[in-house]
Structures are given as structure tokens and as C-alpha cells.
Amino acid sequence: MKDSERIYQFILAEEKKVLADLERIDRELDELGTCQKSIVIKTIKGNKYYYEQWREDGVLKYKCLGKVYPGAVYQEEKEIFRRKELLMQRKEQQLLSEQLRQALQRMEKQRMRESMLEDYSFEVFWRDEITARVAVKGSRVHVSRYSNHPLKQLFAKEDMTRYQLNRILEMRCFEKGRGDIRQILNRFGLTEYNPQALVRKTHGVSYNDYIWFRFPGEKLTAKDVLVR
């Protein structure tokens, strides 16, 4: 594994930890409430009372907690301290999450540049029948075709450019302009739309046919990847 790939996977794992921690913080804040509160003492008819105060919609509100005596508002004070602590943690984790996201974007660009230069190959199957083998070397792509059946074959010619191959691979991916693209890319561990990286994750599977890709080192059959 290349150093850039190891760094990318490390940052991705760290981002997942931060996001999981943010979910935990938000769950606890949902229970405590995110409204900042404080405790004050008011004297009413000569007696001292604890009051919880907070601002809601621009209006200062109060809630009586009872007469003042040692430990009377221990639980409320504990919750106020914990709320402040969680809000600070959330702010720190949100900042860290943004920094990791930016680092992932930089690493993804580097991986894309490396992948554009990296030689690679894959096999194309229709169910469990091999229909083509694709070899990418430098800027050129050579396709060895083993079937000319129009429903089983993706390639009209044996030689093409990387750009032409990427256009074909893009047809085996989800639409680039869809609204939930960020969530889908996150699911695949990607930060940018890259057809080559996507088909390595999805094996180029489509609901419309029985074509799929197998990359070197994968021990897969049609039943492992096809969706129908």
C-alpha cells in the first residue's frame, strides 16, 4: 500500500471517530438541552431561594428550585457544568471534523492524480462469463474482447484513451449531479466523484444488466456482487 493511501485511510478512520463522538455529544445534549442556564439567588419576603435562569427567544426566564440550603441545587449545578463541557467539546470536535474533511479532500485529489498515472487492469463479466479484459498503461487503454454480444459487451473498440475509458466507467456509476451525492460518497469512503474509485467499490454493477467488474486479487463470482 502506498504511503498516500495509508495516510488517507488513517485520516478517514479518524474522521469516523470524530463523527461518532459528535453523535454521542449531541445525544447527551438532547437529554440535557442546549440552552445555557445559570443559578441565581433571590430574596423573597426575607427568605432566600435558588432560581434557575436562562434566555429563551430573547426573554429571560426563571424557575424556582427551592429554598437555599447546602447541596439543594447539586444536581442542577452538575447538569449546567456538564452542558458547558459538552458544548465546548462539540465546538472542538466540529473544528477537528472540518480540518479532517479538508485533509481528506486534499488526499483524495492526490489519490486521483496518482490513480491517473497508475497502471491497472480489470476483467469484465456478464454473470460468470468473462467478456473482456481491460489493461490501462500510461495514457492508453487496451481491451481484449471475448464476446461481441451487444448485451454482454461494453466496449466497441479495442484501443482507447484513459478519458474515453473514464466516460464508460462513469456510465456504471450513479449520477454526478444528484442531491445526495455527498452522503453516498461518504458511504464509500470517498470525498470526490471519481468513476475509477467508485467502480472499485461497486464493481460497476447496474440494475439494468448483469455486467460487473473484477479487479486483481478479488475472489468473487456473480452471486457476490450482482443486485438481481
Side-chain angles (χ1 to χ4, degrees), residues 1-2 24 53-54 57 73 75 80 82 93 95 105 107-108 117 124 127 136 142 196-197 203 222:
M1 183 183 292
K2 293 184 178 180
R24 175 191 60 78
Q53 72 173 17
W54 68 96
D57 298 328
V73 290
Q75 187 60 37
I80 288 171
R82 182 57 177 164
Q93 293 299 80
L95 177 60
Q105 289 179 337
M107 291 303 303
E108 184 64 29
L117 301 174
V124 183
R127 291 185 173 169
V136 183
H142 179 73
Q196 181 188 333
H203 299 93

Side-chain angles (χ1 to χ4, degrees), residues 81-142:
F81 176 79
R82 182 57 177 164
R83 186 182 296 109
K84 289 180 179 179
E85 184 179 47
L86 287 169
L87 289 170
M88 180 62 70
Q89 287 179 10
R90 185 170 69 173
K91 186 175 181 180
E92 292 172 350
Q93 293 299 80
Q94 285 174 335
L95 177 60
L96 180 56
S97 176
E98 178 61 22
Q99 292 172 340
L100 289 170
R101 187 185 66 81
Q102 293 176 2
L104 280 173
Q105 289 179 337
R106 291 192 295 269
M107 291 303 303
E108 184 64 29
K109 289 179 181 178
Q110 181 174 337
R111 290 167 83 232
M112 287 179 67
R113 288 194 295 268
E114 291 176 352
S115 68
M116 288 299 291
L117 301 174
E118 180 185 8
D119 294 343
Y120 69 98
S121 65
F122 61 93
E123 294 172 339
V124 183
F125 285 83
W126 184 86
R127 291 185 173 169
D128 286 324
E129 174 189 345
I130 188 168
T131 60
R133 190 174 191 278
V134 179
V136 183
K137 293 185 178 181
S139 62
R140 303 303 303 176
V141 178
H142 179 73

Side-chain angles (χ1 to χ4, degrees), residues 27-37 79 83 87:
R27 284 196 301 270
E28 192 169 348
L29 280 172
D30 283 342
E31 296 176 1
L32 292 175
T34 56
C35 184
Q36 290 277 30
K37 297 182 178 181
E79 289 180 1
R83 186 182 296 109
L87 289 170

Side-chain angles (χ1 to χ4, degrees), residues 4 15 17 36 41 52 62 68-69 75 77 87 96-97 108-110 126 129 146 152 158 163 178 201 205 213 222 226:
S4 60
E15 184 194 39
K17 291 179 184 177
Q36 290 277 30
I41 296 175
E52 195 173 49
Y62 296 90
V68 173
Y69 66 88
Q75 187 60 37
E77 289 174 333
L87 289 170
L96 180 56
S97 176
E108 184 64 29
K109 289 179 181 178
Q110 181 174 337
W126 184 86
E129 174 189 345
Y146 304 114
K152 300 179 182 181
E158 295 182 348
Y163 174 78
R178 59 187 296 165
K201 302 283 187 179
V205 171
F213 304 156
L226 292 181

